[in-house]
Amino acid sequence: MTAPPAPLPTALPDAADDPLIAGLNPPQREAVLTTEGPVLMLAGAGTGKTAALTARLAHLIRMRLAWPSEILCVTFTNKAAREMRERVGKLIGPAVEGMPWLGTFHAIAAKMLRRHAELVGLQPNYTIIDTDDQLRLLKQLIVAEGVDEKRFPARQLAGCIDRWKNRGLNPADLDAAENESYANGKGQRFYQLYQDRLKALNACDFGDLLLHMLNILRTHREVLEQYQQRFKYVMVDEYQDTNQVQYLWLRLIAQGRQNICVVGDDDQSIYSWRGAEVANILRFEKDFPGARVIRLEQNYRSTPQILAAASGLINENSQRLGKTLWTERHPGDPVRVIGVWDAPEEARRVGDEIERLEREGARLDSIAILVRAQYQTREFEDRFISIGLNYRIIGGFRFYERAEIRDALAYLRVIAQPADDLAFERIYNAPKRGLGSKALEKLHVHARRRGIPLALAAIEIADTDELPARARNTFLALMRDFARWRDLGKQTSPAELIRTVMDESGYTDALQAERSTEASGRLENLAELARAMEEYETLGDFLEHVSLVMDNDAADESEKVTIMTMHAAKGLEFDHVFLPGWEEGVFPSQRALDEGGLASLEEERRLAYVAITRARRRCTILHAANRRIYGQWTSSIPSRFIAELPTSEVHQETTLSGGASLWRAQWSEQSDPFADVARAQPARTMTRGPGWQRAAAREYDPTPRRIAESTRSAASFAARPRADIAPGARVFHEKFGYGTVAAQEGNKLEIDFEQTGRKRVIDSFVKLAD
């Protein structure tokens, strides 16, 4: 390890006179000056943690407590690392160039692994493969082992391996439950085969970068001691987002000198679905006895009312270290909670509010709509396009531009117009049917030769020897399906047509087989597509609407309202924030509650806290009394989070008389809060807008239903119960292990698990035990 290229400042300033800390508040200053021993900087939302972290890093160098190369500073994203380097550079000048250990977890681990690759059987010039290479390699292994890749997709195996590596598990570390999570007990074998193949290729994936280094530090004491001596100070940003392997890697390195400073907020830990463990920050004081906890509580972003509402809500969580945000900002408006009749009315109300703000001088760039799930954006996109309001989707595609939606639309286009070759090309092998590029090339040759569309060419070529028998039969079956769907489209609604097509084409089954968060989101989007189609009488009308929507000028550089998920909004801030869909089953997410119980509920509440604290001036929460799901109007009750907001900081604007007080009382009951909803429901005042007209036209039945009946999980697009599972059946769930089905309600099961007790899960997430 070489000395840094740039020298440290020759003059040693007095710490108390260091200009770096002149503009910091007392807790920030304390965090900067507490240089020795373990420090937990518990930084609430908007409390200036980046300024404190940057000042601390620069202070260590200016005070000559360490060379730049003797400080390990870890961030989560390349953007954060780049911004940190730029800000430190402005404070200490060229000395920042001597900081080789400032970067992301993966970047730093990769640099370490280059130095010690031979200890895990690799060469220093190893290759880091991307996701596409990983899936291709796993498919090769699955085929070689004779496993049905359609039943056990490579993407599912990739998800399992990624989860294992995030937890610091090697193949030999998997228990029986983990082994059962893929291909009926072959998870461990495939994990080992995959690792062996990577080693033969002198390659590793991103998960290996940290796992290999963790293994090296655990088994080679001299390497561990080298890094413990090298790094005089360890600093970690967003510590609440660390997963198990990152936590173990950091703890080993920092245990030497104990000079570790972590910055984070347990109340903003919202990424468990990608491996983050809030327990890591909660047990910091146990891992490093004598640690000083410094709370950054002065908020520089939001009004007192917004902070009070967020603090009151998060206080309901039991697993937290605790802090109280405050601000010197002038009082503003209370948090508004608006009850509307239905989802279209919700989108209309938000659109009207944004137009009013724009007339008052607000910039569209300062306005955001934060949703719990991506499928919720569709209603707002349609409304904004109809009124000419510019918007952008952050962290994803516009609804009709998402891959699964384009696939579904392609099916519909071929049904409506068999000569649509572009649409046919998109879905002839989606989902995978074993029809590769050579089969498509043959189709193109035949179509050009005959001057006919590809769909007709597929029918004709099936009667020739141009293709192998399997491909011919596949094409013939597909074209028969299209003929049947075309006839069905004349007899049924567009919404029912798309549900049937997605089911019978195998598209739904393919997504369900992945059993990943991403696949669940795609299923939610397909469910929302079908819901959107319920408003159209003919398939042609709907496809024309989609064409007009997608023609919206995406290249327009003018101001736009931001639409994004709550998860994607972490770290951002806006003057005006709208939070729609605060209803049970939507937020908190019913799927999260079914799968994770109390732990997931607390994470959902942390997500609500993050969403509220994105607002600088105004925060508006909306909930709809009714949502139309698969053609039926169902009643919703407001999210329990609304009942948990402090009443003194909330202003109710609702057409549901009785307000939040009734729901607050309902949630405080120990009995089932849904049992007597019909009796407890307050009287409603109808707002005779578009939503009411549509509901009236469809003879809406206002009688509330239990939430389990009114919210259908996206884990099953068709939401039909499995015929092979019934009460009394013994099943296996990859997270909860083995159990016995106690009750079945549609596609939801109540299962008594041997290790975790009774839980409610979706039937597509379990399999019959051997």
Side-chain angles (χ1 to χ4, degrees), residues 16 61 106 135 255 267 310 317 397 402 405 463 471 546 558 615 632 634 722 727 738 742 746:
I61 297 173
H106 289 103
L135 291 175
Q255 286 291 353
D267 292 335
N317 273 6
F397 296 101
R402 292 166 185 156
I405 300 301
D463 290 330
V546 172
S558 60
Q632 293 184 345
T634 59
R722 283 172 55 177
Y738 289 97

Side-chain angles (χ1 to χ4, degrees), residues 319-380:
Q319 298 297 312
R320 62 189 299 261
L321 297 172
K323 60 187 170 305
T324 302
L325 297 184
W326 61 277
T327 181
E328 293 180 344
R329 292 191 60 185
H330 294 299
D333 297 331
V335 172
R336 291 192 303 168
V337 176
I338 300 177
V340 296
W341 179 251
D342 59 9
E345 183 75 5
E346 180 181 62
R348 185 197 64 77
R349 180 67 182 265
V350 171
D352 290 348
E353 291 281 331
I354 292 175
E355 289 185 316
R356 179 183 62 80
L357 289 171
E358 191 176 21
R359 288 193 300 269
E360 294 175 357
R363 292 173 54 87
L364 293 183
D365 289 342
S366 69
I367 302 171
I369 300 170
L370 309 183
V371 297
R372 175 59 181 87
Q374 286 191 342
Y375 74 85
Q376 291 176 258
T377 70
R378 202 276 311 170
E379 202 82 61
F380 295 98

Side-chain angles (χ1 to χ4, degrees), residues 505-526:
S505 67
Y507 202 99
T508 300
D509 290 340
L511 288 177
Q512 289 174 341
E514 289 187 25
R515 299 188 180 184
S516 65
T517 302
E518 293 78 8
S520 295
R522 295 186 184 109
L523 287 163
E524 286 177 338
N525 290 337
L526 289 173

Side-chain angles (χ1 to χ4, degrees), residues 638-746:
S639 168
R640 68 190 74 190
F641 299 152
I642 293 177
E644 294 169 356
L645 294 171
T647 55
S648 59
E649 310 300 335
V650 173
H651 174 66
Q652 292 283 333
E653 299 178 26
T654 177
T655 56
L656 309 182
S657 63
S661 58
L662 182 141
W663 303 111
R664 190 183 308 276
Q666 183 181 6
W667 275 115
S668 67
E669 296 176 3
Q670 296 300 314
S671 60
D672 181 0
F674 305 108
D676 297 318
V677 172
R679 173 182 55 79
Q681 185 189 21
R684 291 188 177 126
T685 301
M686 293 187 179
T687 301
R688 294 177 177 258
W692 177 85
Q693 294 170 6
R694 282 188 288 271
R698 294 177 180 269
E699 299 181 12
Y700 167 66
D701 176 7
T703 304
R705 299 170 175 82
R706 289 173 58 90
I707 194 67
E709 298 171 349
S710 65
T711 303
R712 302 181 68 176
S713 172
S716 174
F717 179 54
R720 298 179 181 129
R722 283 172 55 177
D724 61 333
I725 290 182
R730 181 172 166 77
V731 296
F732 177 80
H733 187 284
E734 68 175 48
K735 182 175 182 180
F736 303 126
Y738 289 97
T740 302
V741 177
Q744 184 176 23
E745 183 180 356

Side-chain angles (χ1 to χ4, degrees), residues 492-768:
T492 190
S493 68
E496 187 58 35
L497 174 64
I498 190 57
R499 294 188 186 107
T500 301
V501 170
M502 291 291 97
D503 278 350
E504 295 183 354
S505 67
Y507 202 99
T508 300
D509 290 340
L511 288 177
Q512 289 174 341
E514 289 187 25
R515 299 188 180 184
S516 65
T517 302
E518 293 78 8
S520 295
R522 295 186 184 109
L523 287 163
E524 286 177 338
N525 290 337
L526 289 173
E528 178 62 18
L529 174 67
R531 204 208 66 74
M533 295 179 68
E534 292 166 4
E535 301 178 13
Y536 297 87
E537 294 184 2
T538 69
L539 178 57
D541 289 343
F542 174 73
L543 291 176
E544 180 178 334
H545 164 75
V546 172
S547 298
L548 295 174
V549 169
M550 296 181 71
D551 189 49
N552 191 41
D553 186 10
D556 183 9
E557 297 299 326
S558 60
E559 293 180 24
K560 295 181 177 69
V561 175
T562 297
I563 305 177
M564 63 197 310
T565 64
M566 296 175 181
H567 284 99
K570 186 173 178 292
L572 302 178
E573 57 186 61
F574 304 88
D575 283 346
H576 311 278
V577 171
F578 293 89
L579 306 175
W582 280 45
E583 303 134 31
E584 286 298 306
V586 179
F587 188 51
S589 162
Q590 190 65 40
R591 187 177 72 238
L593 300 185
D594 287 344
E595 296 177 8
L598 179 60
S600 288
L601 173 60
E602 295 215 341
E603 179 158 329
E604 291 285 290
R605 190 177 285 113
R606 292 195 293 269
L607 186 58
Y609 170 84
V610 168
I612 292 173
T613 55
R614 297 312 93 194
R616 287 189 289 250
R617 296 178 56 191
R618 292 188 181 93
C619 178
T620 302
I621 297 170
L622 299 101
H623 62 92
N626 314 291
R627 291 215 181 251
R628 190 172 55 200
I629 302 176
Y630 298 99
Q632 293 184 345
W633 285 97
T634 59
S635 291
S636 302
I637 68 171
S639 168
R640 68 190 74 190
F641 299 152
I642 293 177
E644 294 169 356
L645 294 171
T647 55
S648 59
E649 310 300 335
V650 173
H651 174 66
Q652 292 283 333
E653 299 178 26
T654 177
T655 56
L656 309 182
S657 63
S661 58
L662 182 141
W663 303 111
R664 190 183 308 276
Q666 183 181 6
W667 275 115
S668 67
E669 296 176 3
Q670 296 300 314
S671 60
D672 181 0
F674 305 108
D676 297 318
V677 172
R679 173 182 55 79
Q681 185 189 21
R684 291 188 177 126
T685 301
M686 293 187 179
T687 301
R688 294 177 177 258
W692 177 85
Q693 294 170 6
R694 282 188 288 271
R698 294 177 180 269
E699 299 181 12
Y700 167 66
D701 176 7
T703 304
R705 299 170 175 82
R706 289 173 58 90
I707 194 67
E709 298 171 349
S710 65
T711 303
R712 302 181 68 176
S713 172
S716 174
F717 179 54
R720 298 179 181 129
R722 283 172 55 177
D724 61 333
I725 290 182
R730 181 172 166 77
V731 296
F732 177 80
H733 187 284
E734 68 175 48
K735 182 175 182 180
F736 303 126
Y738 289 97
T740 302
V741 177
Q744 184 176 23
E745 183 180 356
N747 68 324
K748 294 183 179 180
L749 306 173
E750 287 192 12
I751 301 176
D752 291 323
F753 290 101
E754 296 172 0
Q755 300 297 326
T756 56
R758 177 167 293 194
K759 293 186 180 295
R760 200 166 193 218
V761 302
I762 304 301
D763 59 14
S764 62
F765 283 84
V766 302
K767 60 183 178 182
L768 288 171

Side-chain angles (χ1 to χ4, degrees), residues 416-458:
Q417 176 50 268
D420 192 335
D421 284 355
L422 293 176
F424 184 84
E425 280 189 66
R426 183 178 182 92
I427 49 81
Y428 81 100
N429 197 38
K432 300 294 184 182
R433 301 184 176 91
L435 298 172
S437 57
K438 290 185 178 179
L440 182 61
E441 182 181 348
K442 289 282 188 181
L443 274 192
H444 272 293
V445 171
H446 185 77
R448 286 196 301 270
R449 186 181 301 155
R450 293 270 290 115
I452 57 177
L454 291 177
L456 183 55

